[in-house]
Amino acid sequence: GLGDVYKRQGLFLLLVLLSAFISCSDKVKTEVKETKLEFETLFVDGLMIGKATEMLLVDSNLLIADRQADSLFHWVNLNKLTSKDVGQIGQGPGEFLHFDNFYHINNNCGFYDRRLRTFNDIIFLKDRILLNKNVRYESIHYRLVPTAFNTFVGIGPYEKGLFHILDIKGTAVDTIGEQPYRDEAERNVPELARAMAYQGKIIISPKGNSLVHAIFMSPIISFYKLSLANIELLKSHVDCYPTYKPELGNNSYASAMSRSNILGFIDVAVTDRYVYALLSGKSTRESGLSAFTGNVIRVYDWNGDLLKIYTCNTDLTALCVSADDSIMYAIGLVEDYELLVANLK
């Protein structure tokens, strides 16, 4: 069985782990200049943030997804600096179970709820928000985004493939790519176990024709061009690979992650021109819970070229950027988690 294979290759695995550890601690060599980014707290009436995971910015409307709040979102009016909670959690007709990711494409925005298996439109009105349940899905995905081609792209616990392409009704029509692997030994690990070890986010470009896939479990980020039937890799940046042990049960897969792993991308914000990727770059063994925050933001274009690196004056958990690339909003740890703002120009 797998255990015997690992015993036979024990020495080999050890060597691989050592070399991985060495290559990870070695700073990524780049000619890109680092810029300091100063955030200030934005004081908003009545805003209490628990554990913010993602943000959506539409004009002066800012939605903050908060895992620890009684509702899914804090809705901040950036003109008035007021806040109210929206998105009731529950089983009722106007209620939701879980927030997984936002999307914002061609002036339409919404979010995916993996527990309800629905795609939900977000419509901002003057004094309220409409959250409309839209497409229902047969299968489960970690994250799901719409494209400019009337299709959806998902990542998830798939037995095969890195991406699933779904039609307008939410039915899977194609499978593209495969889960990352360091070498042929890891490639022999079933894809479902690798899907667990390489969890992350996908974010669609505002025009719906490009995609960035940023892995949280390890500093790996990849850029793709979309067409009706294909997802074409343009560029991939791998700082290092994670170390993990696949645990294969009868009906389930898990991957026990090493606490020495350097964590990757916590959140990603996008505009028409740029991709802003918030990096942890820390391990839980060294940094404990602060490994789930980061103060380094790598800025790429949609071809995947690294253009700039920001180092921030505070640790962040989520970020978003105005459409003209002039202002960044973030959630960061000051005394508590607070809403922060920085000028990019």
Side-chain angles (χ1 to χ4, degrees):
L2 202 61
D4 296 325
V5 174
Y6 274 117
K7 279 196 194 78
R8 279 204 304 277
Q9 296 184 341
L11 186 66
F12 170 67
L13 268 178
L14 189 67
L15 290 173
V16 168
L17 301 193
L18 285 173
S19 66
F21 187 70
I22 293 158
S23 64
C24 231
S25 55
D26 190 3
K27 279 273 180 286
V28 181
K29 292 184 175 41
T30 103
E31 298 297 303
V32 173
K33 66 171 204 275
E34 294 199 11
T35 311
K36 282 202 159 35
L37 197 55
E38 294 289 323
F39 281 92
E40 291 169 16
T41 301
L42 201 58
F43 293 100
V44 175
D45 218 31
L47 178 63
M48 294 282 291
I49 299 166
K51 189 173 181 336
T53 55
E54 266 187 38
M55 303 165 82
L56 174 72
L57 177 62
V58 181
D59 304 320
S60 61
N61 298 292
L62 178 64
L63 277 192
I64 303 167
D66 188 340
R67 282 234 172 99
Q68 283 172 357
D70 295 331
S71 306
L72 287 185
F73 311 118
H74 307 296
W75 176 25
V76 175
N77 179 322
L78 291 169
N79 291 336
K80 298 179 181 163
L81 294 184
T82 54
S83 162
K84 74 187 204 195
D85 286 358
V86 292
Q88 273 316 114
I89 296 170
Q91 306 276 5
E95 298 180 327
F96 301 89
L97 291 175
H98 198 258
F99 167 82
D100 287 285
N101 63 274
F102 286 122
Y103 68 86
H104 189 183
I105 156 180
N106 296 328
N107 298 326
N108 296 320
C109 54
F111 72 97
Y112 170 57
D113 179 336
R114 103 171 64 154
R115 288 183 54 198
L116 267 185
R117 298 192 180 188
T118 56
F119 223 61
N120 313 292
D121 299 322
I122 300 172
I123 300 159
F124 294 98
L125 300 174
K126 207 168 145 197
D127 52 352
R128 62 200 176 100
I129 284 185
L130 299 182
L131 302 174
N132 296 339
K133 292 175 192 171
N134 194 333
V135 185
R136 279 199 95 82
Y137 297 93
E138 300 158 15
S139 52
I140 191 154
H141 310 272
Y142 291 145
R143 288 165 187 278
L144 209 50
V145 293
T147 76
F149 307 98
N150 279 342
T151 57
F152 299 92
V153 174
I155 51 172
Y158 308 145
E159 286 192 11
K160 210 173 157 37
L162 177 59
F163 300 116
H164 280 188
I165 298 182
L166 292 79
D167 66 17
I168 202 74
K169 296 193 190 72
T171 309
V173 290
D174 205 358
T175 299
I176 306 268
E178 73 174 291
Q179 294 295 335
Y181 55 89
R182 179 201 311 255
D183 51 32
E184 287 305 313
E186 186 179 3
R187 198 178 189 180
N188 289 329
V189 173
E191 283 208 65
L192 193 46
R194 276 152 54 201
M196 301 283 169
Y198 288 94
Q199 290 183 53
K201 296 189 172 190
I202 47 173
I203 301 90
I204 191 86
S205 65
K207 290 192 176 72
N209 57 0
S210 298
L211 185 81
V212 57
H213 180 208
I215 292 174
F216 170 66
M217 300 293 200
S218 208
I220 300 173
I221 189 166
S222 304
F223 296 82
Y224 295 87
K225 187 105 193 84
L226 303 185
S227 56
L228 178 59
N230 198 23
I231 302 175
E232 177 201 347
L233 177 65
L234 299 176
K235 190 167 281 194
S236 204
H237 298 272
V238 181
D239 288 19
C240 55
Y241 289 89
T243 299
Y244 62 98
K245 191 164 158 247
E247 296 175 348
L248 316 177
N250 288 340
N251 292 327
S252 68
Y253 284 89
S255 286
M257 308 301 291
S258 159
R259 291 195 56 222
S260 306
N261 285 345
I262 301 289
L263 294 180
F265 295 96
I266 298 162
D267 195 20
V268 177
V270 303
T271 62
D272 269 332
R273 294 174 66 190
Y274 303 121
V275 172
Y276 301 81
L278 174 64
L279 179 70
S280 159
K282 298 176 275 199
S283 71
T284 54
R285 174 160 287 151
E286 298 276 311
S287 306
L289 288 177
S290 83
F292 298 106
T293 66
N295 71 338
V296 172
I297 299 167
R298 292 184 184 169
V299 185
Y300 302 89
D301 63 21
W302 281 101
N303 292 323
D305 293 323
L306 180 63
L307 305 176
K308 186 184 277 193
I309 297 173
Y310 288 118
T311 50
C312 310
N313 60 335
T314 183
D315 277 337
L316 312 176
T317 65
L319 73 167
C320 62
V321 176
S322 62
D324 65 356
D325 297 286
S326 64
I327 300 175
M328 181 179 288
Y329 297 95
I331 306 301
L333 198 50
V334 184
E335 272 146 36
D336 294 304
Y337 281 109
E338 294 178 8
L339 176 59
L340 307 171
V341 62
N343 284 315
L344 299 181
K345 293 197 165 158

